[in-house]
Amino acid sequence: MKSKLFKAVAVAAMMSVSTLGVQAQELKIGYVNSDRVLREANVGKAATQKLEIEFGKREKELKDIETKLRSSAEKLEKDAPTLSEAERNRRQRDLMELDRDLQRKRREWQEDLTQRKNEELQAVVDRANKVIKQIFDAEKYDLILQDAIHFSARVDITKKVIDALNAQK
């Protein structure tokens, strides 16, 4: 009877020791601020600059059309009392046509910009995810989060990701 009791106590003791070992292992968690990576990493800055160059000319053209439309509207308002009805109607139609053209071009520009921005950002995100995976494997993380409401600076590895991205060519 004593030997059965002794065996049961020994088994219980070994089980409690093994669970303490599991509990003593600390979970290694990291956090990456995706927005900050996109803003501060050289590849993110390069993508933003590329888009500004690619779409800057069209944006300037839109601003020029808008300025022309505004000045034409002011001129029509100023000249309206002295214009004939037919001339005033013609100028108003021209202004409305110019405004429709401006709105169409602005909408097309915005759609094109959004599409290209998504393409460029996706390329940056893919590179960042590869770097995060490398850090995850090399430093033996258990979990790395990219979106969190609250996080401690102790688990923030954003700078490490940015530095690794900047070191790549």
Side-chain angles (χ1 to χ4, degrees):
M1 185 76 145
K2 283 185 179 180
S3 67
K4 283 185 180 181
L5 182 62
F6 180 74
K7 285 182 184 177
V9 170
V11 169
M14 286 194 306
M15 285 177 48
S16 66
V17 169
S18 68
T19 59
L20 285 176
V22 171
Q23 289 175 350
Q25 287 180 341
E26 195 168 314
L27 204 59
K28 189 167 182 181
I29 297 174
Y31 168 74
V32 178
N33 183 328
S34 302
D35 292 335
R36 191 170 146 212
V37 170
L38 293 173
R39 272 192 330 268
E40 295 179 18
N42 291 341
V43 291
K45 291 176 185 177
T48 301
Q49 188 175 29
K50 183 177 179 181
L51 290 170
E52 287 172 0
I53 290 168
E54 188 175 333
F55 287 91
K57 183 180 177 192
R58 281 175 63 187
E59 184 178 20
K60 185 185 179 319
E61 289 172 2
L62 290 173
K63 287 180 181 178
D64 291 346
I65 293 171
E66 189 176 330
T67 302
K68 179 181 175 187
L69 179 65
R70 216 178 274 125
S71 66
S72 295
E74 289 171 359
K75 185 170 178 14
L76 174 62
E77 190 175 313
K78 181 180 147 197
D79 296 345
T82 61
L83 294 175
S84 68
E85 184 75 22
E87 180 63 17
R88 188 172 44 246
N89 288 338
R90 185 190 65 75
R91 285 191 186 182
Q92 285 176 340
R93 275 193 312 274
D94 290 346
L95 282 175
M96 288 188 328
E97 183 68 30
L98 187 59
D99 185 50
R100 270 194 302 272
D101 188 46
L102 173 64
Q103 298 307 321
R104 180 184 51 78
K105 286 181 178 181
R106 182 176 283 138
R107 193 173 41 255
E108 289 171 356
W109 174 82
Q110 187 63 49
E111 288 170 359
D112 292 346
L113 176 63
T114 301
Q115 180 181 356
R116 285 288 294 126
K117 186 182 281 187
N118 288 341
E119 291 169 2
E120 290 293 326
L121 290 179
Q122 188 58 49
V124 174
V125 166
D126 290 344
R127 287 181 69 179
N129 284 340
K130 286 178 185 173
V131 166
I132 292 167
K133 176 71 168 120
Q134 290 169 350
I135 291 170
F136 177 86
D137 292 337
E139 299 184 20
K140 308 225 183 311
Y141 277 88
D142 295 308
L143 177 67
I144 294 180
L145 303 170
Q146 283 187 302
D147 292 313
I149 297 172
H150 300 286
F151 60 93
S152 167
R154 181 174 52 87
V155 297
D156 190 0
I157 62 169
T158 305
K159 177 85 169 105
K160 197 179 290 188
V161 172
I162 292 169
D163 291 345
L165 277 170
N166 290 345
Q168 290 181 341
K169 274 295 167 187

